Amino acid sequence: MGKPKHYRPPGKKKEGNAARYVTRSQAIKILQVSLSDFRKLCIHKGVFPREPKKKVKGNHHTYYHLKDVMYILHDPLLEKFREIRAYQKKIKKAKAKKNDELARLLLSRSPSYKLDMVIRDRYPTFVDALRDLDDPLTMVHLFAMLPAIDRLKIEPKRIHNCRRLCHEWQAYISRTHKLRKAFVAVKGIYYQAEVDGQNITWLAPHARQQVLTDDVDFNVMLTFLEFYEALLGFVNFQLYHSINVKYPPILDPRLEALAADLYALSRYFDANHKASIQVPQLAGSSRSEQEQESDLRLAQLQHQLPANEPGALMHLVQNAASEIEEDEATRDCKKLFQNKKIFLSREVPRESLLFVIPAFGGIVSWEGDGAPFAEADDSITHQIVDRPAQGHVYLSREYVQPQWVYDCVNARIILPTEPYMVGRDPPPHLSPFVDDEAEGYVPDYAKTIKQLQAAAKSDVQPLPGMGSDDLNNTQNLLAEGYISRTEAMEAAEKKQKMMLLEKQYHDELKMELQGVSTINKQSSAVDIESKEESLDVQQSAIDSEDLSTLMMSRKKRGLAKAIEMGKQRKKERVEKLKERKRKYRSSSEI
Amino acid sequence: MGKKAKTSRKGKKAWRANISTEDIHDFFEKSTKDAHSGGSLASAPTESLFFIDKSKDLSVKRKIEKKREKVLRVDSVLEKNPFVEAVPSSKQKSSKKKKEALKAKDVAVQDVPTNDCVPDSGMVPLWGNEGQHGGKARQVSNQSIIPAVEVEPPGCSYNPSFGSHQDSLAQAVAEEMQKVYKNELGPQPVPLTVMGEVIDEDDKYFVEADDGSDDEMNEENLSEEDPATEKRSSKTRRITRVELNKRARRKELQRKEAEAKKAKELAKDIDSLPDILQEIAKEDEERQKKHLRRVIAKQERLKACPPRLGKYKFQPAPPQVLLSEELTGSIRKLKGCATLARDRFKSLEKRGLIPPSAKSGRSFSLRYTIYLVQLTMTCGFAYGQEVERFCFQGSLTVQFLLLFKRKSWNVQSRNFSSSNGKDEAYLEQEAERKIGWLLKLIFAGTATFVAYQFFPYMDERRMKIVEIGGGQELLNMLGSAKDERTQKEALKALSALSKSDEAVKALQSAGAIAAIKSTPDTFQDAEIGTYKSNLLKRFQELRYDISS
């Protein structure tokens, strides 16, 4: 037999991948912890397996970078884990000796660990934490829906904590009108909010029974959840402080008991603001409506509110600043459902709508105890129902299906309620996460929405000094212009062509002017030449592209090619879709 | 003075005069000297030699402090200015102070009592008030390019537009079909039973004998060759000069020939230089293209799945699309995804945060499933619809079991006829092993029967079953059945089907009459007889020739 493949003479140091990467079992040996502890540490510290170029130990191992392992080694958390393990042994021993009292005593004093330093280490700035919030939010929202099962060690306490964190987050988003998109999919409802310039997307499951399958390792999930809970807690803390609200919010126990946490939270916000600010302007119109009802609650909440004046002044200043900070999108969102009073029927997804509607400035109530106003309220403008037929109908309000709310939110205008009436099949619910323009294919309903948006825009800002006819005309023009960008792009292309032609023509003219005195007969030649010139222009464009590709590294060139291929594929897909639609149309006509 | 008389040099005295006594003298001299100066130093104790001078001693601590007190000139210059804070020369531990300062700031901003600032949850503002704490970020290099929350395509909306829905559906179906094709095109599994007769002991001997003779033959062949080689190697011959010369000449000739050939070839190559250049260019281009393809493929792969991180390959979860008949347009009636936990877990795997695990979707024992099926058979109606639907799909095999499992748990994603091809294949195999075809067929028959007891007025559906091949299958089952129970079930199902005229017609054309007639009458089970007579009567009613 010859040398083994990765032979290293004795006394020579390891090099390359052999030195840089260790397998999981080696890492455990280095760290001197059990496998489960190692897994936990990895998740908490954000150390994940890697794929080395050359797998020295074989293909079926999991590899970690040695630096990562050292990073764990130098963390105080490791020591803490060892301590906990030692302590667990003590408890076990006491139990084995039937010394129940000692066991209980030990159990009550068992050491625990905190993750705040780890979080601080992993996310040095708040923006970093926000950037990474997608996964935590989705996970926490998911666990808020899961059943508590002893077998999988999912404790009710944690589920409650998850619910609390979710509601706190939603209350903040809704309060500050940061929600941007909502998409009801089969999996659940996708939301996107914009906080501090970061787009945060998360998925909240539908309010249905979730099934826990065996192929999911809940130990891993719960460890991730542990970290995410801590992270979300700190993020909420920071966010609440940024709007001057005390963080662990104290909620009205009555509302909490009725599982109306979100509403209780919004009340809490109101109360906090009212106490600290003399001029309650923040919440706009919704405040005046809610004030009367919240007075009673306020009296109860008063005891926990600070009342010194200089602080209030500070608040005022800060609030003014934050008011200025609000960007245009937020203002838009705030105004969407302004002056709308919406009532939710029993069968609609309450949690989601209670979150979405206030986020866009609407006032909302529901059927049940603790609701702000009852169904019989005359000032209700819309009622959300999701049943085949509505029995008793108030004429003063419109009955719409829940999809209307989501579509309005995504389109940022109040859509006509007619297609969403009770008993009708609503128009398709389009994904706001798809960039139609980039995709190239615009569904029909998106086109109508675009038209409506254009109309709304021109309604709001009529151009001065124009007759109504003109206005209509411009509206039409605008609408046409907005129909789709693909067409616009085509137009642009045409324009470019025209420009090119024009240029060519000018060139020709110039040439002619130059040549007219000297050579008259060569006009045909000039013509050819100018054509060549125009060709030259194109050629030069291509050349410049080539040059840029030449300048790129090999890898980048590959990427560029990949992008181009992707574009090509997309275009083909669009063509296919169009074709399919045409076929479908023709077949349905027949 | 007269000279001393010369003495003999060889005498005793002369020898004595020659011995040097200097060292002895030296010693005496030294000792006397020492005695005069007060004893030898070597023998003196250390204490007497050295002493600690305590006349000018400062305590060490004081000394260090003295040094500390020394103020650098730069500092002293700065210190004189009351508006400038002195810069400490070394970093000081000030975490406590900083925390306090932060707290103080919070108090100022928040205007709440200090004990409220650190609430019962023990939280402190982690990132300060500006959202920064000035630490260094750890470089995390292996962040996946896959986003944490992937938004589903628009076709997965609960109420999608036609085009996008078709698109997503097509994608899902394509994925399923890919699995199926992979199964079909993959290597055949090793059969559990080998066809052919069992060889008994006596035959075995013959077989072995045959083999043995073959071996011998081979050996003989080998041995025939061997002596020849041995002979050649052992034979040594004298090489004559003539022979050597001949060899040299021959060698020379060969060399010349080779040279000529080489030159010729070279000339040819030079002539075809442009061709070669072209070839090289082409090769280069091809290589580059190959590289490009690889890069692109890698990019695509990384977008879809993580690098290989462990023993097992990542397997993506099926997409969640509603079937066309499941589109309701109402959130209330929406059949949402119930396995979001799995979805999240898969996402973690997909982003490479954890190595993929081996566990597949089905860890549920088959026995339990069968039990469930029987349970549903007995309690019937709740699942009647499912049974009917299943029959509609026309798969009269063990998929039935799967369907039941899927429906009753709602675990499986969507009901494409094979939601997870591999698993199903596996399960089917297991079913074969455990309960055999017989039981399976009984289930199938019962299923059809149950379905058509509950839905007696659906002629076209019955027809559909026959069309799809259910009738044929039942007939096959009837023909091949070896025990009475199977026959009974098959007949039951057929009589349920026979309520529709078209179905009867189709059955007749499939050769049902002969099959039914050939079923032996038994005395133990009267039901078989009744079913048979029922069926035949049915055929008679529709004027089919029974006797044929």
Side-chain angles (χ1 to χ4, degrees), chain B residues 218-429:
Chain B
N218 284 338
E219 273 167 30
E220 273 168 29
N221 287 341
L222 284 174
S223 59
E224 268 171 30
E225 269 175 78
D226 279 347
T229 49
E230 265 171 43
K231 253 181 216 165
R232 214 187 315 159
S233 60
S234 63
K235 201 166 121 193
T236 47
R237 203 161 33 101
R238 256 187 88 86
I239 302 168
T240 56
R241 183 155 288 275
V242 179
E243 209 164 329
L244 274 176
N245 285 341
K246 220 187 239 174
R247 269 190 203 172
R249 256 178 279 134
R250 195 181 151 80
K251 219 176 193 176
E252 182 75 8
L253 198 72
Q254 265 178 353
R255 199 174 54 80
K256 264 182 191 166
E257 265 176 9
E259 240 166 51
K261 205 176 176 186
K262 214 177 175 184
K264 209 176 166 188
E265 226 154 62
L266 200 66
K268 203 174 154 194
D269 275 358
I270 287 168
D271 283 346
S272 65
L273 204 57
D275 281 353
I276 291 170
L277 280 178
Q278 226 169 15
E279 214 168 274
I280 288 170
K282 208 187 265 175
E283 237 167 57
D284 271 358
E285 205 183 334
E286 216 136 85
R287 202 175 299 144
Q288 209 168 355
K289 264 185 193 164
K290 198 175 166 193
H291 176 254
L292 198 69
R293 267 205 302 279
R294 266 201 196 146
V295 168
I296 291 166
K298 198 179 176 192
Q299 288 291 333
E300 296 275 307
R301 221 173 30 242
L302 273 183
K303 259 184 238 166
C305 66
R308 185 71 176 262
L309 288 176
K311 201 170 177 183
Y312 302 101
K313 230 180 188 174
F314 170 72
Q315 275 172 339
Q320 299 286 322
V321 198
L322 290 175
L323 296 181
S324 299
E325 64 257 29
E326 283 173 334
L327 289 177
T328 51
S330 157
I331 297 181
R332 180 171 55 91
K333 289 185 223 153
L334 171 67
K335 214 193 256 173
C337 164
T339 52
L340 267 189
R342 183 205 277 161
D343 178 62
R344 265 311 67 205
F345 191 69
K346 285 278 178 197
S347 165
L348 291 177
E349 281 182 355
K350 196 173 179 183
R351 280 177 287 149
L353 302 192
I354 46 174
S357 58
K359 276 183 195 167
S360 64
R362 271 169 228 278
S363 49
F364 199 69
S365 81
L366 190 78
R367 215 182 51 201
Y368 194 37
T369 324
I370 291 165
Y371 161 74
L372 262 162
V373 171
Q374 280 166 343
L375 207 99
T376 26
M377 286 296 172
T378 50
C379 68
F381 193 74
Y383 285 93
Q385 204 168 3
E386 306 305 335
V387 176
E388 173 259 325
R389 186 181 193 162
F390 142 75
C391 288
F392 204 15
Q393 284 177 350
S395 41
L396 289 163
T397 52
V398 88
Q399 276 178 10
F400 177 58
L401 301 181
L402 297 179
L403 190 82
F404 262 109
K405 194 190 144 193
R406 200 181 302 153
K407 286 297 159 186
S408 47
W409 264 258
N410 199 11
V411 172
Q412 269 309 311
S413 51
R414 306 268 129 231
N415 37 3
F416 295 113
S417 67
S418 80
S419 80
N420 199 341
K422 217 174 189 177
D423 284 349
E424 240 161 64
Y426 164 72
L427 210 78
E428 225 162 318
Q429 269 178 23

Side-chain angles (χ1 to χ4, degrees), chain A residues 68 123 126 135 238 386 429, chain B residues 127-128 131 138 159 332 344:
Chain A
D68 288 345
Y123 306 108
F126 184 51
D135 205 20
Q238 192 81 16
D386 195 357
H429 179 58
Chain B
W127 295 284
R138 190 172 165 267
N159 183 19
R332 180 171 55 91
R344 265 311 67 205

Side-chain angles (χ1 to χ4, degrees), chain A residues 428-563:
Chain A
H429 179 58
L430 304 170
S431 168
F433 292 96
V434 178
D435 190 0
D436 286 332
E437 288 155 12
E439 209 65 15
Y441 172 73
V442 185
D444 286 343
Y445 194 59
K447 279 180 193 167
T448 36
I449 286 177
K450 281 252 169 71
Q451 275 174 359
L452 287 167
Q453 275 172 336
K457 231 179 224 174
S458 55
D459 255 2
V460 173
Q461 301 159 328
L463 295 172
M466 271 197 179
S468 59
D469 283 9
D470 278 342
L471 200 74
N472 272 336
N473 214 350
T474 49
Q475 265 186 33
N476 286 341
L477 275 177
L478 260 174
E480 274 167 24
Y482 268 95
I483 282 172
S484 79
R485 183 143 160 228
T486 46
E487 277 170 31
M489 263 152 68
E490 274 166 28
E493 262 172 39
K494 257 184 207 166
K495 205 174 165 190
Q496 233 171 13
K497 257 184 206 166
M498 292 286 279
M499 289 265 279
L500 214 97
L501 279 174
E502 211 176 72
K503 199 186 163 198
Q504 193 181 326
Y505 180 66
H506 277 297
D507 283 345
E508 272 175 43
L509 271 184
K510 247 186 219 169
M511 295 290 263
E512 268 176 52
L513 277 177
Q514 282 168 0
V516 87
S517 55
T518 50
I519 328 147
N520 239 344
K521 346 160 199 176
Q522 283 190 352
S523 60
S524 59
V526 167
D527 207 32
I528 292 161
E529 211 171 282
S530 64
K531 262 184 193 167
E532 272 175 5
E533 205 166 88
S534 69
L535 272 175
D536 259 13
V537 171
Q538 287 173 6
Q539 190 59 44
S540 70
I542 292 164
D543 277 352
S544 69
E545 250 175 42
D546 274 353
L547 205 75
S548 64
T549 52
L550 274 178
M551 292 288 277
M552 282 187 286
S553 69
R554 208 173 173 192
K555 203 172 174 184
K556 273 188 183 163
R557 220 180 306 152
L559 265 178
K561 269 275 171 63
I563 289 165

Side-chain angles (χ1 to χ4, degrees), chain A residues 23 86 94 102 192 226 230 259 262 276 357 418 447 472 480 535 538 554 589:
Chain A
T23 61
L102 181 62
Q192 192 173 60
E226 193 183 348
L262 252 183
S276 53
I357 295 170
E418 202 183 334
K447 279 180 193 167
N472 272 336
E480 274 167 24
L535 272 175
Q538 287 173 6
R554 208 173 173 192
E589 272 166 23

